[in-house]
């Protein structure tokens, strides 16, 4: 760029002009161009062509760029030859001129555009562009539309969303291959090619000549710029070249935008092979061209590619697909495949030399790959352009140019082929790239446009071996990061797996290739080719096997692992993306019977790959202990294709299953994973760190489960259905390491498991069996049933939002398979199983989202605990589901206690899997069930309710699925006698249930109680053992019939295993075999086992009945129900058994057993008849007693603690309810602040820190916890009711001139222009903007306690959400945010009671008293001079109040720092708080009463503080307005006033409410009631006069003269002073003396309202004028004297308030219509004082009539403040603002935001708008809201609140159709305004409660 700058300096384009070809041609470019065009138009145009060539040769000479690129820096320094920049510009200018053929370039562009057959949009965009995707219109799932096309098409009711493009894309509008035509927009609907005229030949003739040279020039630049150094070329160099080429590429890009006509010319140029050959062959005499060609060859070579240029030497013609390998080897000059492989891939072998070589040898056998990887031949510009695009790592400009050409069909085909040809090269470049992320995005940006089109993909597959190329390239890519697998046999393993730690996997570098592969497999024609090609399938399985067994975990047994590797993320992502998604893609094409062949192919090669894998890892039959891998993609491929074959293709399962031995091997590793899951959850892997838990969770997580755990369980189900059930069951218990636990003995030794893990592992094993036997996902459920089951499971765990449900329901993970989330079945299933809970709004509560919750009948019938367990990522979710189930049963009254998980009936099994149920009917399982029931009954350790639950579940499953009804019941009675097997006679659970087992011989450790009992036999002390010894001989006789046998599961399994392997049918003798597997007992640790014989005498039925007794805690609790009600046996479905606990479950099972066989029924009855002897109490040893006592004590302590906590919680809750409640007047905290009860002598306050109560005193004052904040809410009031709308077009702008703040500002500055400053500052109030609002939670504390509390907060290191240094804290009791303490004035209530007594003094006396009191400075009970603690605190709080708001909101005086300013500020604080309270009450006092705000008000205390400070400034009695109001002054004074500089403000211009506050705050506190009333009466007279004056100004001349006349007649009546007519006429006549009315021109009259004034309307006007004052005064009276406000109707508000204030005489009759004038009570004769007031006005209007008039018309009626009104649909806001430019820097901001108070557009965090380290949002919040800002973030749809130095995310007021927010617009669904939420936001803004209600605040450091 330096060079370019230098060029400009030297003098622009001149240097290139002398180089024109012939002097004959004019120097003018346009003329030259016209001349050439004419020459070329002749029939014989050879001369012209040569001339043009010569010109182009000169203009586009490659000489200069060479120096530019290579020696750019030096050239710039020397300033030689004008540098490159200028020359390039010149060249571009020439090209433009030549193309236009002498005309203007812009006209040329327009002419070409006219011939554009715009059938396609084809707009190309880059990352972060906002586009749309409509699933209803899309044929390909990658379809996308630009915003313009989307909004112009009709997509109402479609399933669309808006998204931010990650990699870039292009608009598909108009392309019927990708989307349905119904979705096209208006512009692209017409196939317009028919009515576009043919392009005239001469228009584009020049382009055809010029463009080839131009593109060749560009290619030469690229060749020159690329220096192939020894190492990888640095980023900087590449970028430099690209920057130089920017204008050229942009020029090409502009050409593509000219439309179809120009594109087809470009296509011709780019694909024409002859042109390319002529220009680039590098033969010719041009040395420069030669040099450039050499550089090109070097670049090819260094990329590990060969250029088969001299093939004729070898006598080989164009290499065809078959011979290409040979060709490649020939050119490389290598002597064998091996050498070739090594040489070409040298650079890919990052240090894994040896291993890589070995691997590569294995691979080189596959044909075709060499040519795929290493040969590139360029035959056209397009091909070489793409080559350089790849070399330069896909510069964005180039990509955009190449994509912009795509609407041209011919180009599209050519480009796709070129892309495929370079595919391998792309992969190599990508692997080496530093910026693999951006490069990946750009690759996909291109490929997704090409491969989404089925027709194109098919064509390329057929013509260019696309599939071969892709598979080979993927294989090569993964080869570079293989390591030796350590699974199973570490030393001798031949298997290699990918290393998940490599960058390739960690950074997901492979994703562009995989994503392309998945994309093309989504096309049926392509997928079929893949499934038919055996060679490809073999290679693909080879690829998949690289992932088989990756990321192996080894259990740490000794110490915690030092470094937790996080590679598992990479491993799971790789399996999902590289293996599972292509698998789902293929599966989606195997849906019908005709595709059986494909499945057979896949299954066949999958099994072969599995067999190879087992061989490679030397696997025999036992998995290596303590290691697990979660990655078995080959198993999963196999499983999924099997499932599909049975479900959709009607294939016979057995025809695709391998032999038994292979099945045994297949089941081992998936089973190992299930066992490891249980181990991980039992904390056995805790030393491996958290990541192993992460793996266990990811394995079952919704995005992975149906590619991981589901196929694994399905494969185990298939194995179980085909293998011997005893073998399978025993394998399960052995894998779960709980074999040793399954003994009847009360003690046992487990050699492989610690005691603390036994229970959870046993639970794990049983749970796994239950899942295995009851899951039907792949065994016969239809897709809709599966969806329903998944949805119910998720909803049972928790209520879910629509989007989280979509996310949690595992769907086909291949996005292109056509199963779309949000499809119709999803919605219909959802509405069938769930109810929608609309978002709820609790004030102060968190924002709720719209949720779906299960319907009652779903809980009743469909809740399936098994599915829930399978799908929970966290164990707590299972508990949550059970809790919700329990709550449902309690609520619906179905079951009061703690229920057990319900038993759910299953969908019927598909016939192919019937064998699975044999597991339930095998002796091994029955023995386990019997043993566990017995152990539970005997209270052995390590057994839980969960175990019992699962045992019963399994029994019930067995009864439900019993194969055949017993036919010959009687015959089987004598079964036991004949049977050789010691435990059960047969394998049917139904008959085995009733089989009694008498004795069992067990192996027990010598310490076990059973052994001791045996040795005591001779003494017969123990009843049990004597019983045993007496029976002993009998037992021995029957020994051979095998009643007592040691049962060893492992041995059983071994026997079965050998039996299957040796196919031996002979029954080996059981006693002979070793009793334990040698593998499990570690040498030396073999425990001393001895044999004992237990007497059991139970059957499963008897155990169940005893269990019933045990669970119910009653003897004989079980009574067979059918004895009472025989009906039960006929209709067994009894709802009462559906829900319940263990007792119910036992009853249900016994009933089912009785139903299944008469024998069972009889035996149950028999057992119940025998009265069971009571269970003897256990003998407890002393030691045990001790521990039991301890336990009991602990339990009691725990209960006590729980009780205390509960009580505390409930107290806190009730407190929070009262304290935090903003809106309900009922609950209030009893507070003794404002109550006035005569019996209490002094107000007593509780300190919430030290807990003491007492009055507030001088030396130890108490204070109220308050929050001071600056507020501009008042300033936002407007005078019209319609709230302003947020602008959504350029026209709608909001101007703030009509806000309350603006109006008051104007008034003050007007006054200050004409009147004395000090007097102006008493005439108005400020604080409309930036006024200080004080609010309290109502709690009090000692000020010294508060100081120590702050100190402790300061030392507290915990990060608080507030800043202690700024004095912020939270109330110690209610945790409400606060920042100051307002001292309570020590005063007694009795006194105030006295003050309130009405006195009978006349108004004149009172006026005198008021004046005297005001004049007495500091007449306070506490004199200021004596510094007490109280006065110090008063001062400090005043400082706080001042510092709350910014200086600009305090200083209005012309002389800075004048005391008048402080005076104005202080009374305005009072005004602000009163006005705000009025707004909180809804703008009027009709509701009356004390609202909650009133009860927690601190106005009384605030008044004391303000009064104390106001009295420091005594007003000069000369200027005290009180005088002007109550006395007649001699005329003389006012005359003198005129001579001074500026007059005082006339009293009629004063704001009456301000005067009221000044008068009251100037009085000594506490104030007497009669003085207060006196002040109000006097001020009302002024107010009324102002109303009359304003009225007189408002009406026109005729009205005035009429009133003047009528009033004058009544002037002498008795109550003339109380008649508004008289007064009005007097006012008019007085003011007529001045110029007030004169100045009116005709235009003025037009302005004045033409309404005719009736007496009623005049009365209403006067009342409305006075009402605001009456409201504020009543509020003030309510706070100062504690009087309640009466409630009233709106129309009688005036009269009620005036009587309440004492303005109305009490005897006033209310019959005739109320007249406001009757409230007047003139202190001096009315006419005299009015004329005095009017005189002031007249003297002012002498000079300034206009302003005088404006000041009189005050608009008193302000409406309540509102936020801006937002549009219904969020899209309208988004579309306007997200492209709007920032007013400061005119760029589109990254994070645009808009203020919801005033509609200003701001940049969030925008550095462009930063002023003195404040970012724009923070600045705006200070200017617009005095520190409070409410902004809508356009790109995120959320609202952010800024309050002072903190901010918080408030949430969103726009929700989608399902009541959910869409933060950051991730889902992009249409959003609609939620009015309730917006109301809540507005309410919080008006009531200033953001700080209390929102909890998550953080500092913003001025950076927003």
């Amino acid at each position: 760029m330096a060079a370019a700058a230098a060029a400009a300096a030297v003098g622009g384009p001149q240097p290139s002009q002398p180089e024109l070809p012939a002097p004959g041609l004019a120097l003018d470019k346009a003329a030259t161009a016209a001349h050439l065009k004419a020459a070329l138009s002749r029939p014989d145009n050879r001369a012209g062509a040569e001339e043009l060539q010569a010109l182009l040769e000169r203009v586009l000479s490659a000489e200069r760029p060479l120096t530019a690129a290579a020696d750019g820096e030096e050239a710039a320094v020397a300033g030689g030859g004008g540098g490159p920049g200028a020359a390039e510009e010149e060249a571009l200018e020439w090209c433009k001129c030549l193309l236009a053929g002498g005309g203007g370039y812009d006209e040329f562009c327009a002419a070409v555009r006219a011939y554009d057959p715009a059938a396609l949009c084809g707009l190309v965009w880059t990352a972060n562009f906002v586009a749309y995707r409509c699933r209803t219109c899309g044929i390909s799932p990658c379809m996308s539309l630009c915003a313009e096309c989307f909004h112009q098409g009709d997509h109402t009711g479609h399933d669309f969303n808006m998204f931010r493009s990650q990699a870039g894309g292009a608009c598909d509008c108009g392309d019927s291959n990708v989307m349905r035509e119904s979705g096209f927009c208006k512009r692209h609907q017409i196939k317009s090619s028919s009515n576009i005229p043919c392009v005239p030949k001469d228009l584009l003739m020049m382009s055809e000549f010029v463009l080839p040279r131009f593109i060749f020039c560009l290619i030469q630049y690229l060749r020159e710029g690329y220096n192939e150094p020894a190492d990888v070329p640095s980023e900087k160099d590449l970028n430099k070249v690209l920057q130089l080429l920017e204008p050229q590429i942009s020029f090409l890009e502009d050409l593509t935008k000219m439309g179809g006509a120009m594109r087809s010319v470009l296509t011709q140029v780019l694909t024409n092979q002859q042109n390319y050959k002529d220009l680039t062959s590098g033969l010719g005499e041009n040395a420069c061209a030669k040099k450039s060609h050499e550089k090109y060859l070097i670049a090819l070579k260094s990329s590990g590619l060969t250029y088969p240029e001299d093939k004729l030497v070898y006598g080989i013609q164009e290499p065809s697909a078959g011979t290409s390998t040979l060709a490649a080897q020939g050119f490389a000059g290598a002597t064998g495949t091996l050498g070739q492989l090594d040489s070409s891939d040298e650079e890919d072998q990052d240090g894994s030399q040896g291993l890589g070589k070995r691997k590569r040898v294995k691979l080189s056998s596959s044909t075709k790959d060499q040519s795929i990887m290493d040969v590139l031949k360029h035959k056209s510009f397009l091909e070489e352009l793409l080559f350089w695009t790849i070399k330069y790592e896909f510069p964005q400009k180039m990509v955009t140019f190449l994509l912009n050409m795509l609407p041209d069909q011919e180009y599209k085909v050519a480009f796709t082929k070129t892309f495929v040809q370079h595919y391998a090269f792309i992969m190599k470049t990508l692997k080496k790239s530093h910026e693999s992320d951006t490069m990946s995005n750009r690759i996909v940006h291109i490929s997704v446009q090409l491969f989404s089109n089925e027709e194109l993909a098919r064509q390329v597959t057929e013509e260019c071996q696309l599939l071969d190329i892709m598979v080979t390239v993927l294989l090569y890519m993964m080869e570079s990061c293989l390591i030796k697998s350590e699974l199973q046999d570490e030393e001798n393993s031949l298997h290699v797996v990918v290393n998940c730690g490599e960058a390739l996997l960690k950074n997901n570098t492979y994703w562009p290739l995989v994503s392309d592969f998945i994309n093309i497999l989504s096309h049926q024609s392509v997928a079929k080719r893949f499934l038919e090609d055996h060679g490809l399938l073999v290679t693909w399985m080879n690829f998949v096997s690289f992932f088989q067994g990756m990321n192996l975990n080894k259990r740490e047994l000794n110490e915690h692992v030092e470094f937790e590797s996080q590679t598992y993320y990479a491993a799971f992502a790789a399996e999902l993306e590289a293996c599972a998604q292509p698998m789902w893609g293929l599966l989606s094409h195997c849906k019908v019977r005709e595709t059986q062949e494909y499945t057979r192919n896949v299954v066949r090669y999958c099994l072969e790959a599995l067999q190879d894998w087992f061989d490679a890892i030397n696997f025999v039959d036992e998995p290596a202990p303590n290691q697990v891998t979660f990655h078995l993609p080959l198993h999963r491929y196999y499983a999924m294709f099997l499932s599909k074959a049975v479900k959709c293709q009607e294939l016979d399962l057995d025809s695709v299953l391998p032999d038994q031995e292979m099945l045994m091997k297949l089941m081992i590793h998936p089973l190992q994973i299930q066992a490891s899951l249980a181990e991980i959850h039992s904390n056995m892997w805790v030393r491996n760190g958290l990541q192993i838990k992460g793996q266990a969770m990811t394995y079952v997580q919704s995005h992975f489960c149906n590619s991981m755990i589901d196929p694994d369980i399905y494969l185990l189900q298939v194995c179980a259905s085909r293998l011997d059930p005893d073998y399978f069951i025993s394998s399960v218990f052995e894998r779960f390491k709980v074999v040793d636990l399954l003994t009847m003995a009360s003690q046992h030794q487990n050699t492989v498991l610690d005691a603390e893990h036994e229970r959870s592992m046993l639970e794990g094993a049983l749970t796994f069996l239950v899942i295995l036997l009851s899951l039907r996902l792949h065994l016969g459920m239809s897709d809709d049933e599966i969806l329903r089951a998944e949805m119910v499971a998720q909803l049972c765990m928790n209520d879910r939002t629509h989007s989280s449900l979509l996310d949690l329901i595992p769907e086909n993970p291949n996005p292109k398979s056509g199963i779309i989330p949000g499809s119709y079945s999803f919605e219909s299933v959802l509405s069938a199983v769930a109810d929608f809970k609309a978002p709820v709004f609790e004030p102060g509560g968190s924002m709720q989202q719209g949720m779906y919750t299960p319907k009652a009948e779903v809980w009743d019938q469909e809740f399936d605990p098994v599915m829930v367990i399978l799908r929970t990522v966290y164990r707590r979710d299972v508990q949550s589901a059970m809790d919700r189930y329990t709550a449902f049963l309690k609520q619906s009254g179905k079951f009061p206690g703690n229920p057990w998980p319900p038993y759910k009936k299953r969908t019927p099994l598909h016939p192919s899997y019937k064998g699975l149920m044999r597991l339930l009917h095998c002796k091994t399982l029955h023995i386990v069930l019997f043993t566990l029931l017995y152990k539970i009954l005997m209270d052995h350790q390590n057994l839980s309710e969960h175990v019992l639950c699962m045992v019963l579940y399994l029994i019930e499953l067995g009864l439900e699925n019993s194969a055949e009804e017993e036919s010959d019941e009687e015959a089987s009675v004598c079964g036991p006698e004949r049977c050789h097997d010691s435990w059960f006679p047969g394998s049917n659970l139904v008959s085995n249930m009733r089989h009694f087992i008498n004795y069992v011989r067990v192996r027990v450790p010598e310490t076990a109680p059973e052994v001791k009992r045996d040795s005591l036999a001779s003494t017969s002390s123990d009843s049990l053992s004597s019983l045993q010894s007496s029976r002993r001989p009998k037992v021995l006789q029957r020994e051979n019939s095998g009643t007592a046998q040691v049962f060893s599961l492992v041995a059983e399994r071994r026997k079965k295993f050998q039996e299957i392997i040796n196919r031996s049918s002979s029954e080996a003798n059981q006693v002979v075999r070793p009793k334990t597997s040698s593998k499990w007992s570690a040498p030396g640790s073999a425990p001393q086992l001895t044999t004992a014989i237990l007497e059991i005498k139970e059957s499963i039925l008897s155990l169940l009945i005893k269990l019933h007794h045990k669970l119910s805690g009653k003897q004989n609790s079980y009574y067979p129900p059918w004895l009472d009600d025989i009906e039960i046996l006929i209709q067994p479905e009894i709802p009462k058994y559906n829900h319940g606990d263990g007792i119910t479950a036992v009853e249900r099972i016994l009933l089912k057993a009785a139903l299944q066989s008469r024998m069972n029924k009889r035996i149950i009855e028999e057992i119940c008849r025998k009265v069971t002897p009571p269970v003897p109490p256990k003998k407890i040893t002393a030691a045990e007693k001790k521990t039991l006592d301890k336990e009991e004590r602990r339990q009691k302590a725990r209960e006590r603690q729980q009780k205390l906590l509960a009580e505390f919680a409930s107290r806190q809750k009730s407190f929070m309810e009262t304290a935090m409640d903003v809106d309900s007047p009922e609950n209030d905290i009893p507070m003794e602040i404002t109550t006035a009860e005569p019996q209490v002598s002094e107000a007593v306050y509780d300190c919430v820190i030290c807990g003491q109560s007492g009055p507030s005193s001088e030396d130890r004052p108490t204070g109220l916890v308050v929050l001071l904040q600056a507020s501009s809410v008042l300033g936002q009031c407007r005078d019209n009711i319609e709230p302003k709308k947020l602008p959504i077009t350029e026209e709608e702008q909001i101007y703030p001139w009509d806000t309350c703040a603006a109006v008051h500002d104007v008034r003050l500055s007007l006054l200050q222009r004409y009147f004395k400053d000090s007097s102006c500052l008493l005439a108005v109030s400020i604080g409309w903007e930036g006024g200080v609002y004080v609010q309290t939670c109502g709690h009090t504390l000692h000020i010294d306690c508060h100081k120590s509390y702050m100190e402790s907060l300061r030392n507290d290191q915990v990060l608080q959400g507030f800043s202690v240094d700024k004095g912020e804290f939270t109330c110690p009791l209610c945790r409400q945010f606060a920042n100051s303490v307002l001292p309570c004035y020590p005063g007694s209530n009795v006194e105030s009671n006295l003050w309130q007594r009405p006195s009978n003094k006349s108004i004149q006396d009172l006026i005198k008293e008021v004046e005297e009191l005001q004049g007495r400075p500091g007449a306070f009970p506490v004199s200021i001079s004596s510094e007490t603690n109280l006065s110090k605190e008063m001062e400090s709080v005043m400082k706080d109040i001042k510092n709350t708001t910014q200086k600009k909101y305090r200083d209005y005086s012309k002389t800075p720092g004048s005391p008048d300013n402080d005076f104005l500020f202080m009374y305005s604080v009072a005004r602000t708080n009163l006005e705000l309270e009025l707004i909180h009450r809804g703008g009027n006092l009709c509701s009356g009463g004390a609202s909650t705000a009133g009860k927690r008000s601190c106005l009384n205390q605030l008044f004391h503080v303000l009064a104390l400070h106001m009295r420091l400034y005594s007003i000069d009695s000369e200027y005290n307005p009180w005088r002007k109001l109550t006395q007649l002054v001699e005329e003389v004074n006012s005359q003198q006033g005129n001579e001074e500089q500026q007059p005082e403000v006339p009293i009629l211009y004063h704001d009456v409410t301000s005067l009221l506050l000044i008068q009251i705050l100037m009085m000594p506190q506490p104030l007497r009631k009669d003085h207060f009333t006196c002040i109000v009466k006097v001020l009302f007279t002024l107010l009324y006069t102002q109303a009359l004056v304003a009225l007189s100004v408002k009406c026109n001349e005729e009205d005035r003269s009429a009133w003047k006349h009528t009033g004058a007649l009544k002037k002498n009546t008795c109550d003339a002073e109380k008649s508004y007519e008289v007064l009005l006429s007097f006012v008019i006549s007085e003011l007529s003396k001045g110029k007030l009315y004169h100045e009116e021109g005709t235009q003025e009259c037009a302005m004045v309202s033409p309404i005719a004034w009736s007496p009623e309307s005049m009365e209403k006007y006067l009342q409305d004028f006075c009402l605001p004052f009456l409201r504020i005064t009543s509020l003030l009276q309510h706070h100062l004297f504690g009087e309640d406000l009466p409630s009233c109707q709106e129309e009688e508000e005036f009269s009620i308030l005036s009587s309440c204030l004492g303005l109305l005489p009490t005897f006033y009759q209310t019959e005739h219509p109320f007249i406001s004038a009757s409230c007047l009570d003139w202190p001096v004769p009315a006419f005299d004082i009015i004329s005095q007031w009017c005189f002031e006005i007249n003297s002012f209007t002498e000079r300034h009539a206009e302003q005088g008039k404006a000041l009189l018309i005050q608009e008193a009626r302000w409406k309540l403040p509102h936020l801006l009104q937002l549009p219904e649909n969020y899209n309208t806001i988004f579309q306007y603002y997200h492209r709007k430019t920032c007013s400061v820097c005119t760029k589109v901001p990254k994070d645009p935001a808009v203020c919801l108070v005033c509609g200003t557009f701001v940049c969030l965090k925008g550095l462009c708008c930063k002023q003195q380290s404040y970012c724009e949002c923070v600045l705006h919040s200070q200017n617009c809201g005095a520190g409070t800002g409410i902004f809508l973030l356009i790109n995120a749809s959320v609202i952010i609140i800024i309050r002072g130095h903190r901010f918080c995310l408030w949430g969103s007021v726009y929700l989608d159709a399902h009541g959910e927010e869409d933060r950051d617009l991730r889902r992009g669904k249409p959003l609609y305004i939620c009015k309730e939420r917006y109301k809540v936001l507005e309410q919080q803004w008006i009531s200033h409660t953001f700080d209390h209600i929102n909890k998550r605040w953080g500092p913003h450091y001025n950076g927003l």
Side-chain angles (χ1 to χ4, degrees), residues 1220-1236:
M1220 296 305 285
D1221 189 55
V1222 191
D1223 288 335
S1224 65
E1226 310 70 73
N1227 326 335
D1228 70 311
I1229 308 164
M1231 263 181 38
E1232 300 89 41
I1233 296 179
T1234 46
T1235 47

Side-chain angles (χ1 to χ4, degrees), residues 937-956:
L937 197 63
M938 302 311 281
D939 285 323
H940 288 180
Q941 72 231 46
N942 272 341
L943 297 168
S944 59
E945 192 177 69
H946 185 79
V947 171
L948 175 59
C949 181
M950 292 295 147
V951 166
L952 294 179
Y953 209 100
L954 286 167
I955 294 177
E956 192 157 358

Side-chain angles (χ1 to χ4, degrees), residues 1038-1058:
R1038 293 183 55 188
E1039 181 75 57
N1040 47 6
S1041 74
T1043 315
Q1045 280 245 339
V1046 178
F1047 175 69
S1048 159
L1049 266 178
V1050 182
E1052 181 77 0
R1053 176 166 175 262
R1054 279 268 171 283
K1055 177 188 95 180
K1056 294 289 184 195
F1057 194 79
Q1058 274 132 22

Side-chain angles (χ1 to χ4, degrees), residues 1541-1557:
Q1541 65 296 22
Q1542 281 182 311
E1544 283 197 18
V1545 178
I1547 199 87
L1548 283 175
Y1549 287 163
H1550 272 267
D1551 172 45
V1552 185
T1553 317
S1554 306
L1555 279 175
L1556 170 79
L1557 291 169

Side-chain angles (χ1 to χ4, degrees), residues 551 553-554 556 559-569 572 630 676-677 679-681 683-699 873-874 876:
N551 197 37
N553 300 291
K554 297 181 180 168
E556 295 289 331
E559 58 245 30
H560 197 286
V561 59
E562 281 173 40
F563 167 71
E564 285 195 31
S565 94
Q566 295 297 323
T567 50
Y568 80 90
Y569 296 126
F572 276 96
F630 283 97
S676 305
L677 281 178
E679 290 178 6
I680 290 167
H681 286 302
N683 289 333
M684 287 166 64
W685 286 70
V686 71
R687 292 199 175 91
N688 285 53
L690 275 178
Q691 55 96 23
I692 193 78
K693 275 224 155 108
Q695 290 187 52
M697 285 172 182
T698 312
Y699 175 70
V873 180
Y874 302 102
R876 58 166 183 264

